[in-house]
C-alpha cells in the first residue's frame, strides 16, 4: 500500500476529445479526458486514473442574425479544451445549431429539438407548473429519491419526477450512472409497476430516453434490457386502447337500448372523457417509448433484434390507430429508418402502408408531411409500391408539395422515381407537374440546374404528349427559353431534356430545326464532351429529308470533325456512337452522302466495325449508315466496288442481335438488285445458312462398308422423294448449284 509520505507530486493531464451539439439546447458539448497521476519522490508514477468528462458551452444569444465566425472564434478563445485547429468544426456546429428547426412551436410551444431533429417527448404532466409545487431537486438528495422508489406508487411518481428534473441537466448523467443503485432501481420499478401507472412508466421511460440520446450510454440501457421492455409495454398499450374502444362501443349500444337514455348519456359522456384522458397519457407514453427505441436503433444489431420482435407491426398499428401528430412524427421517423432494408419494406407493404400514409401526406403539419414524403421516397424503390402510390391517388398530393418550402428536394426525388414508370409519366400531363417543373427550370439561379430537377425533366420529356405541352407553353417561346438557358449555362443535363423532346415525331419536331445552327456550332467549340454528345444526339434526331445537311456540314466544317472523332481512337465510345448516328441522319441528303463517301468515311466505318464488333449498338448504327447510303447511286457504287462493306454485312446476317440481322438483310436485298456479282454470293450464303443443319448432317454422313453389302443395287446420287433430297458428299459444289437452280434462289 502506498504511504502518504511517498506521494510527492500530482500530475494532471487533459486530453481534448470530440465536439458535438447538445441534443435539446443551444449548446456545444466538448468531450475530454482527464488523466491524474501521482508521482513519487523520484518522479516515477505511483498511481494513475483516467476519467472521461464533458463540458457544456451554452449559447443563449445564438439566433438567426448571429455572426457565426465571430462567435466561433470567441468560443475557441474562451474554452481551453478546444484547440484552434478545430475552429472550422466549431463554425459548422454553430451553423447547424443556428439552422436547426424547433418543432411544434405552433400550439403548445413546448417542443424542443433532440439529436435527431424531432420533438422532445417531454410528457405534459412533467410541466414546470407541477414541478414548481414540489421541492427543488438536488443531486445531493439522490439517496432519498432512490428510497422513494421502494414505497407506494405516488411516492415512486414523485421520485421519478425529481430524478427527471436532475437529468434535464446533462452534467448530472454521469453522476447518476456512478451512483450504482439509481439505474437498477428505475429499471426494477418500470419492470414491476408499469401496468399500475401510465404516468410512472412514462416518467421512467423519459429518464432512460435522456440517456439514449448519447450513444456511449446505450450499453447501460441494453444491460437493463429497457428496449425489449419498451416494446412489450407499447404492444400492450396498443391492445389496451382497442379494449377501451370496444368497451365504449358496448356502453353506447346498451345506452341506445335503454328507455331512460338521459342517465345513460351522462354515464357515456363521463366514460368517454375518462377514455380521452387515458388516450392522451397513452400517446405520451408511446411517443417516449418509440423515441427511446429509435435512438437505440442507431446500432444496426439492435435494430435487427427489434425487427425480429415485431417493431414494424407495432409501429404500423400505432400509425393506424392513433391520431396524435407528435406520436405520428416519431412513428414515421422510425419507419423511414427501417424502410431502407428490404425485409422491413416488404413487411410494411404487406401491412398496406401506402393507404395508411394518406392522412400524414395531406397533414397541415410541415414536419409530418415531410417525413411522409421521405418514407414514400424510401418505399418508391419498389416498383409495386410505386404503382400503389399512383393507384391511391398520391400523384397530385405529391406534386402539391413542390410549392411547400423545404419539401422541394425530397418531392423532386420522389417524382423522379415515380416517373420511371411509363404510365405515370403519361399521367403527369393531366396535372400541373410539367408546368411547375418548367417554371422551376427557368427561374433557377444562373448555372446548371440541380440534378434531381434535371432527372425529372428528362423523364418527362421522354413522352410525346408531355413534350407537346412544353412546346405549347408561352405560345412556343418556352422552348426557345429552355434552349437559350442550355447554351448560356452550359447545362448538359438540361440539353438531354431538349434531346429527348426532339426525338418525337409530329408537330413538335420541326420546332427544333430553328436551333440547328446552335447545335452544329457547339460541336467544335464546346470542350465539355457530355454537352457535345447531347448536341450530336439532338442533331441526329432531326431526320428530315428537307434539311440541307450538305450545306450544314460545309458551313460549320463538320466533316473533318467527324473523321477526326472516328479515326483518332482517343474519343469516348459514347461520342463515337453519337457521331455514327449523326452520319446515318445526314446520309438522307444525297449530296451529303456522296461527299461522305468520297471522303473515305465508308472505309473508316468498316475499320471501326472490325474494331468494335463486340459492341452491338455501334455495329447496328454502322449497318444503318450503310443502309442509308445504299439508296443513293453514287454512294452505292462506292460501297459495292471500293469497299468490303457487303462482305461484313453478309457476316452480320447471322448475328445474335435481331435488329442487326434485320438491317443487314434489308441492305443486302438492295445490293442484290443492283449488282449481279454480289447477288450470287448473297444467295449462296443465305442458302448455306437456311440449310446449314441439313448440310452438316449430310456432309458428315459416311456409310459403313458392311451396310453397303446388304444392298444389291448401288444407290444413285439422289433419291427423288416427295419432299426431300438425299445429298451425295462426293459432288458438294455441283449439287449446291443444282439446288440453287432447282429452288430458284
Amino acid at each position: 500500500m502506498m504511504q502518504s509520505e511517498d506521494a510527492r507530486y500530482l500530475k494532471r493531464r487533459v486530453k481534448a476529445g470530440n465536439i458535438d451539439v447538445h441534443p435539446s439546447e443551444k449548446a456545444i458539448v466538448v468531450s475530454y479526458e482527464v488523466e491524474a497521476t501521482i508521482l513519487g519522490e523520484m518522479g516515477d508514477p505511483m498511481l494513475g486514473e483516467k476519467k472521461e468528462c464533458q463540458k457544456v458551452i451554452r449559447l443563449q444569444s445564438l439566433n438567426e442574425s448571429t455572426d457565426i465566425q465571430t462567435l466561433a472564434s470567441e468560443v475557441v478563445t474562451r474554452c481551453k479544451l478546444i484547440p484552434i485547429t478545430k475552429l472550422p468544426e466549431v463554425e459548422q456546429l454553430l451553423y447547424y445549431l443556428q439552422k436547426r428547426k424547433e418543432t411544434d412551436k405552433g400550439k403548445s410551444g413546448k417542443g424542443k429539438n433532440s439529436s435527431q431533429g424531432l420533438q422532445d417527448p417531454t410528457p405534459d404532466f412533467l410541466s414546470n407548473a407541477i414541478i414548481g409545487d414540489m421541492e427543488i431537486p438536488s443531486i445531493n438528495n439522490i439517496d432519498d429519491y432512490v428510497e422513494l422508489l421502494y414505497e407506494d406508487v405516488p411516492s415512486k411518481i414523485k421520485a421519478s419526477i425529481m430524478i427527471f428534473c436532475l437529468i434535464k441537466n446533462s452534467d448530472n448523467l454521469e453522476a447518476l450512472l456512478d451512483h450504482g443503485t439509481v439505474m437498477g432501481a428505475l429499471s426494477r420499478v418500470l419492470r414491476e409497476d408499469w401496468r399500475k401507472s401510465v404516468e410512472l412508466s412514462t416518467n421512467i421511460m423519459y429518464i432512460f430516453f435522456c440517456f439514449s440520446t448519447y450513444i456511449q450510454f446505450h450499453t447501460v440501457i441494453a444491460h437493463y434490457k429497457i428496449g425489449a421492455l419498451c416494446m412489450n409495454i407499447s404492444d400492450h398499450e396498443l391492445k389496451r386502447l382497442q379494449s377501451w374502444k370496444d368497451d365504449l362501443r358496448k356502453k353506447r349500444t346498451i345506452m341506445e337500448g335503454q328507455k331512460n337514455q338521459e342517465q345513460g348519456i351522462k354515464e357515456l359522456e363521463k366514460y368517454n372523457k375518462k377514455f380521452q384522458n387515458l388516450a392522451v397519457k397513452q400517446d405520451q407514453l408511446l411517443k417516449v417509448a418509440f423515441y427511446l427505441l429509435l435512438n437505440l436503433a442507431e446500432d444496426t444489431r439492435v435494430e435487427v433484434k427489434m425487427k425480429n420482435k415485431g417493431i414494424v407491426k407495432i409501429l404500423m398499428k400505432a400509425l393506424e390507430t392513433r391520431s396524435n401528430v407528435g406520436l405520428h412524427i416519431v412513428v414515421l421517423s422510425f419507419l423511414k429508418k427501417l424502410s431502407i432494408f428490404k425485409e422491413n419494406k416488404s413487411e410494411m407493404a404487406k401491412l398496406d402502408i401506402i393507404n395508411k400514409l394518406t392522412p400524414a401526406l395531406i397533414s397541415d403539419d410541415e414536419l409530418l408531411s415531410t417525413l411522409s414524403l421521405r418514407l414514400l421516397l424510401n418505399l418508391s424503390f419498389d416498383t409495386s409500391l410505386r404503382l400503389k402510390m399512383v393507384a391511391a391517388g398520391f400523384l397530385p398530393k405529391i406534386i402539391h408539395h413542390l410549392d411547400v418550402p423545404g419539401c422541394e428536394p425530397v418531392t423532386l426525388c420522389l417524382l423522379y422515381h415515380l416517373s420511371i414508370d411509363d404510365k405515370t409519366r403519361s399521367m403527369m400531363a393531366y396535372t400541373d407537374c410539367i408546368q411547375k417543373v418548367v417554371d422551376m427550370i427557368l427561374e433557377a439561379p444562373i448555372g446548371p440546374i440541380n440534378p434531381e430537377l434535371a432527372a425529372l425533366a428528362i423523364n418527362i420529356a421522354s413522352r410525346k404528349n408531355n413534350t407537346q405541352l412544353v412546346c405549347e407553353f408561352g405560345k412556343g417561346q418556352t422552348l426557345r427559353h429552355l434552349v437559350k438557358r442550355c447554351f448560356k449555362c452550359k447545362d448538359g443535363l438540361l440539353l438531354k431534356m431538349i434531346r429527348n423532346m426532339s426525338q418525337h415525331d409530329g408537330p413538335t419536331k420541326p420546332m427544333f430545326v430553328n436551333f440547328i445552327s446552335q447545335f452544329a456550332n457547339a460541336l467544335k467549340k464546346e470542350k465539355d464532351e457530355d454537352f457535345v454528345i447531347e448536341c450530336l444526339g439532338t442533331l441526329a434526331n432531326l431526320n428530315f429529308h428537307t434539311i440541307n445537311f450538305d450545306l450544314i456540314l460545309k458551313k460549320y466544317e463538320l466533316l473533318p470533325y467527324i473523321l477526326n472523332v472516328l479515326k483518332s481512337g482517343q474519343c469516348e465510345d459514347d461520342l463515337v456512337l453519337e457521331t455514327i448516328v449523326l452520319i446515318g441522319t445526314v446520309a438522307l441528303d444525297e449530296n451529303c452522302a456522296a461527299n461522305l463517301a468520297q471522303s473515305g468515311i465508308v472505309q473508316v466505318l468498316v475499320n471501326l466495325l472490325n474494331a468494335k464488333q463486340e459492341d452491338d449498338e455501334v455495329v447496328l448504327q454502322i449497318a444503318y449508315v450503310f443502309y442509308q447510303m445504299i439508296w443513293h447511286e453514287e454512294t452505292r457504287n462506292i460501297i459495292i466496288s471500293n469497299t468490303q462493306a457487303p462482305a461484313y454485312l453478309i457476316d452480320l446476317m447471322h448475328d445474335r442481335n435481331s435488329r442487326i440481322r434485320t438491317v443487314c438483310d434489308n441492305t443486302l436485298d438492295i445490293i442484290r438488285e443492283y449488282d449481279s456479282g454480289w447477288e450470287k454470293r448473297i444467295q449462296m450464303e443465305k442458302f448455306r445458312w437456311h440449310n446449314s443443319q441439313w448440310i452438316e448432317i449430310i456432309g458428315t454422313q459416311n456409310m459403313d462398308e458392311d451396310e453397303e453389302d446388304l444392298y444389291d443395287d448401288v444407290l444413285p446420287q439422289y433419291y427423288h422423294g416427295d419432299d426431300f433430297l438425299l445429298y451425295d458428299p462426293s459432288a458438294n459444289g455441283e449439287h449446291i448449284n443444282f439446288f440453287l437452280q432447282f429452288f430458284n434462289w
Side-chain angles (χ1 to χ4, degrees):
M1 183 175 177
M2 185 187 72
Q3 301 298 323
S4 58
E5 58 270 14
D6 295 334
R8 300 297 183 184
Y9 306 101
L10 177 63
K11 183 179 179 181
R12 183 173 178 268
R13 187 171 63 178
V14 179
K15 183 179 179 182
N18 297 328
I19 309 173
D20 202 353
V21 296
H22 193 279
S24 59
E25 300 179 17
K26 286 184 179 180
I28 293 178
V29 181
V30 182
S31 300
Y32 63 96
E33 183 182 86
V34 178
E35 181 179 359
T37 306
I38 298 177
L39 304 178
E41 185 174 0
M42 304 302 296
D44 54 320
M46 301 181 63
L47 184 64
E49 183 180 359
K50 292 182 180 180
K51 185 178 181 181
E52 293 183 355
C53 306
Q54 286 185 334
K55 179 178 179 62
V56 179
I57 304 173
R58 290 179 172 80
L59 308 162
Q60 301 298 337
S61 61
L62 181 63
N63 54 47
E64 295 179 356
S65 59
T66 301
D67 186 344
I68 296 298
Q69 292 182 345
T70 304
L71 181 59
S73 300
E74 184 179 354
V75 169
V76 173
T77 303
R78 291 189 177 185
C79 183
K80 303 302 180 182
L81 296 172
I82 305 177
I84 191 65
T85 55
K86 290 196 175 185
L87 179 60
E89 184 178 352
V90 175
E91 290 181 2
Q92 186 178 4
L93 293 174
L94 291 177
Y95 180 77
Y96 170 77
L97 284 173
Q98 187 182 46
K99 297 299 182 182
R100 186 166 67 176
K101 293 183 179 180
E102 295 184 7
T103 60
D104 283 3
K105 285 183 179 179
K107 295 183 179 179
S108 65
K110 300 174 184 176
K112 296 184 296 183
N113 284 357
S114 75
S115 59
Q116 302 193 25
L118 303 179
Q119 181 187 5
D120 185 345
T122 306
D124 290 343
F125 42 75
L126 290 179
S127 62
N128 291 330
I130 297 178
I131 297 173
D133 297 336
M134 298 184 180
E135 61 182 275
I136 299 176
S138 173
I139 193 67
N140 297 323
N141 300 330
I142 189 64
D143 291 330
D144 297 335
Y145 307 149
V146 173
E147 289 180 7
L148 289 174
L149 291 174
Y150 290 89
E151 298 182 8
D152 57 2
V153 172
S155 299
K156 292 176 181 177
I157 293 175
K158 179 181 178 181
S160 65
I161 293 176
M162 302 307 287
I163 296 174
F164 159 77
C165 295
L166 291 175
I167 213 167
K168 286 184 69 176
N169 183 354
S170 57
D171 294 338
N172 293 327
L173 290 175
E174 290 191 357
L176 292 173
L177 283 178
D178 294 340
H179 186 272
T181 59
V182 174
M183 303 301 288
L186 287 170
S187 61
R188 178 191 59 79
V189 172
L190 180 62
R191 185 169 288 102
E192 295 177 358
D193 298 335
W194 66 266
R195 295 175 186 269
K196 299 178 182 179
S197 171
V198 174
E199 185 177 349
L200 175 62
S201 54
T202 305
N203 294 352
I204 298 177
M205 278 189 187
Y206 185 81
I207 293 171
F208 282 107
F209 159 76
C210 291
F211 282 99
S212 72
T213 57
Y214 298 92
I215 196 167
Q216 61 264 38
F217 298 140
H218 285 192
T219 53
V220 178
I221 299 174
H223 174 72
Y224 293 106
K225 300 181 179 179
I226 300 301
L229 184 57
C230 283
M231 287 188 63
N232 293 335
I233 294 173
S234 301
D235 189 29
H236 179 271
E237 291 297 332
L238 289 170
K239 292 177 180 177
R240 186 157 66 169
L241 175 70
Q242 187 60 46
S243 176
W244 290 344
K245 288 182 177 180
D246 294 340
D247 291 342
L248 184 62
R249 194 179 300 110
K250 290 178 182 179
K251 288 182 178 295
R252 185 177 288 109
T253 303
I254 295 172
M255 184 271 295
E256 291 174 353
Q258 292 177 348
K259 294 182 179 180
N260 184 10
Q261 294 186 356
E262 195 170 319
Q263 184 178 357
I265 292 174
K266 290 182 180 180
E267 292 180 358
L268 185 63
E269 289 177 352
K270 183 179 179 181
Y271 186 84
N272 186 51
K273 187 176 181 180
K274 180 181 177 182
F275 167 76
Q276 295 297 333
N277 292 333
L278 290 172
V280 169
K281 290 185 177 181
Q282 201 178 56
D283 285 341
Q284 293 170 340
L285 182 146
L286 292 172
K287 184 164 62 173
V288 177
F290 290 148
Y291 210 157
L292 170 60
L293 293 170
L294 177 58
N295 286 343
L296 296 178
E298 290 298 323
D299 186 340
T300 53
R301 294 170 298 179
V302 176
E303 185 176 333
V304 170
K305 293 179 181 179
M306 292 182 186
K307 192 269 178 187
N308 294 335
K309 288 181 175 293
I311 186 62
V312 175
K313 188 176 180 181
I314 294 173
L315 292 170
M316 290 295 297
K317 191 172 183 180
L319 181 65
E320 182 181 8
T321 59
R322 319 303 293 207
S323 58
N324 182 273
V325 173
L327 176 59
H328 278 186
I329 288 173
V330 180
V331 169
L332 289 184
S333 299
F334 209 156
L335 288 172
K336 177 177 70 71
K337 185 180 187 305
L338 293 169
S339 63
I340 64 176
F341 294 102
K342 183 178 179 181
E343 296 80 5
N344 297 333
K345 181 262 300 176
S346 300
E347 187 173 357
M348 293 177 195
K350 291 178 182 178
L351 296 171
D352 195 22
I353 187 171
I354 299 301
N355 290 321
K356 293 175 182 177
L357 284 176
T358 303
L361 184 61
I362 61 177
S363 171
D364 294 332
D365 188 276
E366 182 181 337
L367 180 56
L368 182 60
S369 59
T370 303
L371 284 170
S372 66
L373 287 172
R374 293 188 178 278
L375 175 56
L376 287 172
L377 177 61
N378 286 356
L379 298 174
S380 66
F381 285 91
D382 187 286
T383 303
S384 61
L385 290 177
R386 287 201 304 268
L387 296 177
K388 285 185 179 180
M389 293 177 200
V390 177
F394 277 19
L395 187 58
K397 299 179 180 68
I398 294 170
I399 293 171
H400 168 73
H401 284 82
L402 285 173
D403 299 326
V404 179
C407 293
E408 181 183 304
V410 64
T411 305
L412 286 173
C413 291
L414 179 54
L415 286 173
Y416 166 69
H417 279 190
L418 295 177
S419 68
I420 294 174
D421 304 309
D422 190 63
K423 184 179 178 181
T424 307
R425 290 200 297 270
S426 299
M427 294 177 64
M428 287 181 176
Y430 303 99
T431 67
D432 57 350
C433 176
I434 299 176
Q435 179 69 69
K436 289 183 177 181
V437 168
V438 172
D439 290 342
M440 290 169 67
I441 292 173
L442 297 178
E443 295 171 5
I446 298 299
I449 59 177
N450 69 71
E452 294 81 9
L453 178 59
L456 175 59
I458 290 168
N459 281 0
I460 287 175
S462 65
R463 291 292 302 176
K464 184 176 181 179
N465 55 342
N466 295 341
T467 296
Q468 290 176 347
L469 279 177
V470 175
C471 293
E472 291 172 1
F473 293 154
K475 298 180 180 180
Q477 292 301 310
T478 298
L479 177 60
R480 185 175 298 277
H481 293 320
L482 290 172
V483 175
K484 182 180 179 180
R485 183 182 175 88
C486 283
F487 288 94
K488 183 178 181 180
C489 302
K490 309 303 180 193
D491 193 339
L493 290 177
L494 182 55
L495 187 55
K496 188 181 287 290
M497 173 194 177
I498 300 297
R499 175 184 174 180
N500 278 1
M501 293 172 63
S502 67
Q503 70 183 344
H504 304 296
D505 295 326
T508 59
K509 181 174 281 193
M511 299 176 70
F512 294 88
V513 177
N514 300 326
F515 311 109
I516 283 182
S517 59
Q518 292 172 265
F519 295 127
N521 195 39
L523 297 185
K524 296 179 65 177
K525 290 188 175 181
E526 296 297 335
K527 296 181 180 180
D528 185 355
E529 194 169 278
D530 292 334
F531 192 85
V532 172
I533 288 173
E534 301 307 327
C535 289
L536 283 168
T538 307
L539 285 173
N541 287 336
L542 305 180
N543 50 354
F544 294 112
H545 290 275
T546 55
I547 298 178
N548 189 346
F549 285 110
D550 186 41
L551 177 62
I552 294 172
L553 261 61
K554 290 179 179 177
K555 182 177 179 180
Y556 297 99
E557 299 179 351
L558 294 183
L559 186 54
Y561 169 80
I562 291 173
L563 288 171
N564 179 62
V565 170
L566 298 181
K567 287 182 177 180
S568 66
Q570 299 178 354
C571 298
E572 294 290 336
D573 290 345
D574 289 342
L575 182 61
V576 173
L577 177 61
E578 294 302 332
T579 303
I580 298 171
V581 176
L582 178 61
I583 296 171
T585 298
V586 301
L588 290 169
D589 186 334
E590 185 173 358
N591 295 330
C592 186
N595 289 334
L596 287 172
Q598 291 170 5
S599 69
I601 203 168
V602 176
Q603 187 58 46
V604 173
L605 290 174
V606 170
N607 296 339
L608 192 61
L609 180 64
N610 189 40
K612 302 284 187 180
Q613 55 186 326
E614 298 299 325
D615 191 330
D616 281 2
E617 192 61 35
V618 172
V619 171
L620 176 63
Q621 295 302 332
I622 293 176
Y624 180 74
V625 171
F626 293 154
Y627 173 76
Q628 290 287 17
M629 287 185 166
I630 213 72
W631 285 99
H632 309 304
E633 182 178 355
E634 186 174 351
T635 53
R636 181 169 59 246
N637 293 334
I638 294 175
I639 291 174
I640 293 175
S641 305
N642 300 339
T643 70
Q644 290 297 314
Y648 279 95
L649 292 173
I650 289 174
D651 291 339
L652 292 172
M653 281 196 309
H654 318 314
D655 194 89
R656 64 182 182 276
N657 190 306
S658 60
R659 295 190 300 166
I660 294 176
R661 293 199 303 270
T662 301
V663 175
C664 290
D665 286 342
N666 294 337
T667 308
L668 291 172
D669 287 342
I670 299 173
I671 293 175
R672 286 175 53 192
E673 294 180 11
Y674 292 97
D675 189 278
S676 57
W678 281 105
E679 179 184 10
K680 185 175 182 181
R681 184 172 173 181
I682 293 170
Q683 286 179 341
M684 179 76 71
E685 185 60 30
K686 286 192 174 184
F687 174 82
R688 288 181 185 275
W689 176 253
H690 186 72
N691 299 281
S692 59
Q693 189 175 7
W694 178 77
I695 292 175
E696 182 180 355
I697 294 173
I698 300 303
T700 57
Q701 180 179 357
N702 293 315
M703 187 171 294
D704 296 336
E705 293 180 359
D706 294 339
E707 292 178 347
E708 291 179 358
D709 295 337
L710 296 176
Y711 301 95
D712 295 333
D713 299 330
V714 179
L715 288 174
Q717 289 185 1
Y718 303 102
Y719 177 82
H720 295 275
D722 295 333
D723 297 317
F724 62 91
L725 291 171
L726 291 177
Y727 168 61
D728 182 3
S730 63
N732 195 357
E734 297 178 2
H735 296 155
I736 290 179
N737 291 332
F738 171 78
F739 292 147
L740 291 173
Q741 296 174 6
F742 181 82
F743 289 113
N744 195 24
W745 279 68

